[in-house]
């Protein structure tokens, strides 16, 4: 609370100006591509990506890429939408899979199917499906993927006599055992702040939130598979077997660091997060496949993962696609992404890189980390994202947070997500089949 | 002498008529560019909406169309916006009396005849105002979070049940507390400064008449402070309706704050997270109108009492 009218007015003016710029439409189409040296602007938030860009620039003086570091995930989508409306988006941008339809629907990304005919085979089918949205078009080139796996404190599991759960039933039993043996500890937490995490868990169970049927969108965020996942976690939170506090808070960091939270269903990029947020636990974690819904199954979902897209307003699309293809398929480039950015590449060949032979530095004892990771990655389910994932994700945060504080069924929160998603699509005029 | 005076007058008389406008131009241009135009544009946007055809994936499948009053209808009929408005109203009802009451109390105490450590106290009370809202919220967030809070460590060590300040019921007061902490200092300085402007003879004559310090405070200082109190109330009222930073920052730490906890948070979510600037613009206009009505309504309500004598 800041009782200053001047500041308030300034803020209001600023906000309106932002809104104004956000809505200025512009940017004509330029079909001819100039020849000669070109300069490409590239927005990305991947750590260490500047080294990969430098590598390209040293080898390709004709096509100079100028990197602009951005805030991650959802923020870059907002900035891209705004910049595209103002008529000055970058040529290339890093975009998460779930944001692709939103950007395509807003005419931000170009269809690069023409220029990427030979690229398709270099990626697993699941990743490629996500950049085509199940159509003939190609809207981006996959960069990295986030197959989900289970991280657990090997030392504490041993100490408490726990075995690594292979199914979600075993996982629930383990959670209860942890509570009985030590009331200060939780096996894990359910986070209402991370919709991408929940989406990954739902994918594993076979969820399909969006689908395209001819010219009609099908929306089923509350399908049977997702309801099963939601009610499973809801039951655990309500009975107190696991915590319901959000992830990525100082509290969560402390719990990971001091061993009061001892497992984390996460993605292949998890070691980097653990290293940053729980530095005292080096060498104490181990990775296992995510627990399964039926014993003997072998499935997972993706949490996060991103692509490189070329914008519709770019004047140098061919050059931009050339760079995007190189960055995500060339061995030198993907090796650089792995070593300087700890990125788990989406390209099949890159996943077998020599740099992925040794385990992550934070998991020195698990020599086969990346070999197991590749097996897990190959079992990831495909998924179609919708044109308003942002609305669905926002609703997840509110509805699930409310369900946790009010102790109401998670499947009801899922129904809220479904109706908010459909209502938003209908309001905007999409053809939707309920 | 007279010659120069004449030429001077002459020059003044023949100055181009446009000169005053030239001097006004910077202010008018800036005002138009950065206030009138954006506001006008926001109002324009509030009457527009997006229409998508089919799957919405092809080029040009998204057009902007005239929406009439649709955005206003949905903003006014939105239970979330109403809920957040009521929450902010309750927030204001709790916050304003505490914050202004404390500010008044501190101002009167510091203005009392025998004050020790006056300068230090003033600085200490004012200092939180200098801390940016985001940083203040993060500081308090750490103090509230049960696992990292030193308060909870102490309470736990005493064997008492540890409170969760970010729980469903208490998070409201946790936010109020941050606002009180940050806002008392500024209001205290405003009130204190206007107390300092009161001529000392008034107090002298009052004490000669036998008034105690308390009576002087209640019967002389507070009535004289009325204009300043009204001003701080109006400013605080506006700031209250615009509460945004604190809940937005605390939100990432807890499940208890929704993305539409305050009206401005809803505008922010609609515009920047859900990419719907049109309904966000409509909600903004509604919020601006309500703020104006409340502020001017309050001023009209109290001005007759406070400034009545001067106006007549």
């Amino acid at each position: 609370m800041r009782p200053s009218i001047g500041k308030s007015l300034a803020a209001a003016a600023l906000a309106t100006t932002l809104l104004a710029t956000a809505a200025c439409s512009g940017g004509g189409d330029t079909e001819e591509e100039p020849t000669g040296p070109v300069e490409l602007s590239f927005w990305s938030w991947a750590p260490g990506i500047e080294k990969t860009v430098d590598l390209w620039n040293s080898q390709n003086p004709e096509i100079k890429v100028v990197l602009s570091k951005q805030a991650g995930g959802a923020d870059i989508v907002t900035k891209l939408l705004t910049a595209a409306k103002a008529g000055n988006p970058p040529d290339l941008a890093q975009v998460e899979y779930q944001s692709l339809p939103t950007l395509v629907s807003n005419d931000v990304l170009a269809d690069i199917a023409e220029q990427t005919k030979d690229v398709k085979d270099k990626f697993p089918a699941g990743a490629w499906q996500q950049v085509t949205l199940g159509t003939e078009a190609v809207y981006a080139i996959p960069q990295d993927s986030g197959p989900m796996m289970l991280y657990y404190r090997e030392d504490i599991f041993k100490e408490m006599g726990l075995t690594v759960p292979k199914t979600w039933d075993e996982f629930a039993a383990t959670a209860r055992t942890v509570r009985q043996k030590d009331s200060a500890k939780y096996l894990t937490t359910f986070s209402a702040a991370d919709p991408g995490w929940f989406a990954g868990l739902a994918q594993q169970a076979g969820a399909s939130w969006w689908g395209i049927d001819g010219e009609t969108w099908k929306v089923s965020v509350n399908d049977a598979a997702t309801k099963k996942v939601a009610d499973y976690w809801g039951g655990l939170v309500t009975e107190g077997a696991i915590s319901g506090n959000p992830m990525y808070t100082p509290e969560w960091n402390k719990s990971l660091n001091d061993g009061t939270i001892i497992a984390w269903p996460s993605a292949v990029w998890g070691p980097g997060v653990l290293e940053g947020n729980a530095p005292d636990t080096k060498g104490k974690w181990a990775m296992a496949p995510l627990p399964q819904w039926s014993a003997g199954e072998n499935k997972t979902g993706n949490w996060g993962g991103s692509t490189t897209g070329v914008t519709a307003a770019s004047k140098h699309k061919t050059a931009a696609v050339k760079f995007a293809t190189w960055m995500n398929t060339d061995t030198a480039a993907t090796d650089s992404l792995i070593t300087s950015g700890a990125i788990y590449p989406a390209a099949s060949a890159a996943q077998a890189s020599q740099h992925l032979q040794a385990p992550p530095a934070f998991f020195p004892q698990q020599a086969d980390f990346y070999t197991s990771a590749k097996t897990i990655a190959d079992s990831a389910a495909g998924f179609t994202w919708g044109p308003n994932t942002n609305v669905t994700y926002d609703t997840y945060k509110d509805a699930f947070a409310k369900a946790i504080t009010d102790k109401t069924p998670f499947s009801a929160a899922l129904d809220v997500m479904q109706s908010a998603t459909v209502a938003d699509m209908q309001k905007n005029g999409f053809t939707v089949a309920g | 002498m007279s010659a120069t005076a004449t030429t001077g007058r002459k020059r003044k008389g023949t100055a181009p008529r446009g000169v005053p406008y030239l001097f006004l131009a910077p202010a008018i241009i800036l005002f138009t560019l950065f206030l009138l135009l954006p506001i006008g544009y926001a109002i324009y946007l509030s009457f527009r909406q997006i229409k998508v055809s089919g799957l919405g994936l092809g080029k040009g499948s998204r057009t902007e169309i005239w929406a009439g009053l649709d955005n206003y209808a949905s903003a006014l009929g939105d239970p979330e916006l109403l809920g957040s408005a009521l929450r902010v109203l309750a927030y204001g009802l709790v916050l304003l009396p505490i914050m202004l009451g404390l500010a008044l109390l501190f101002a009167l105490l510091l203005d009392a005849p025998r004050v020790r450590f006056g300068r230090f106290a003033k600085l200490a009370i004012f200092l939180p105002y200098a801390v940016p809202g985001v940083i203040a919220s993060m500081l308090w967030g750490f103090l509230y979070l049960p696992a990292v809070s030193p308060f909870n460590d102490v309470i736990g060590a005493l064997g008492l049940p540890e409170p969760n300040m970010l729980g469903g019921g208490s998070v409201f007061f946790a936010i109020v507390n941050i606002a009180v902490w940050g806002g008392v200092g500024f209001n205290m300085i405003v009130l204190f400064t206007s107390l300092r402007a009161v001529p000392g003879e008034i107090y002298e004559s009052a004490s000669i008449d036998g008034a105690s310090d308390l009576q002087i405070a209640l019967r002389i200082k507070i009535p004289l402070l009325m204009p300043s109190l009204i001003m701080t109330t109006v400013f605080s009222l506006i700031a209250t309706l615009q509460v945004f930073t604190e809940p937005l920052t605390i939100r990432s730490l807890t499940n208890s704050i929704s993305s539409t906890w305050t009206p401005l948070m809803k505008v922010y979510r609609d515009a920047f997270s859900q990419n719907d600037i049109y309904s966000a613009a409509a909600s903004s206009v509604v919020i601006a109108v309500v703020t104006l009505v409340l502020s001017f309504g309050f001023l009209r309500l109290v001005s007759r009492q406070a400034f009545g004598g001067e106006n007549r």
Side-chain angles (χ1 to χ4, degrees), chain A residues 138-159:
Chain A
V138 175
Y139 293 108
I141 295 176
Q143 179 161 69
D144 64 322
S145 62
M148 290 186 75
M149 31 199 75
L150 180 69
Y151 295 96
Y152 62 96
R153 281 289 294 273
E154 204 173 15
D155 55 333
I156 298 181
F157 264 55
K158 203 170 282 171
E159 223 170 81

Side-chain angles (χ1 to χ4, degrees), chain A residues 41-60:
Chain A
S41 48
F42 173 37
W43 286 5
S44 170
W45 72 87
I49 198 159
E50 51 273 10
K51 292 194 180 126
T52 316
V53 171
D54 289 346
L55 185 64
W56 166 269
N57 284 338
S58 66
Q59 294 170 1
N60 298 274

Side-chain angles (χ1 to χ4, degrees), chain A residues 329-343:
Chain A
T329 58
D330 187 89
T331 314
T334 51
D335 279 353
S336 156
L337 288 176
I338 294 165
T339 49
S340 51
I343 279 169

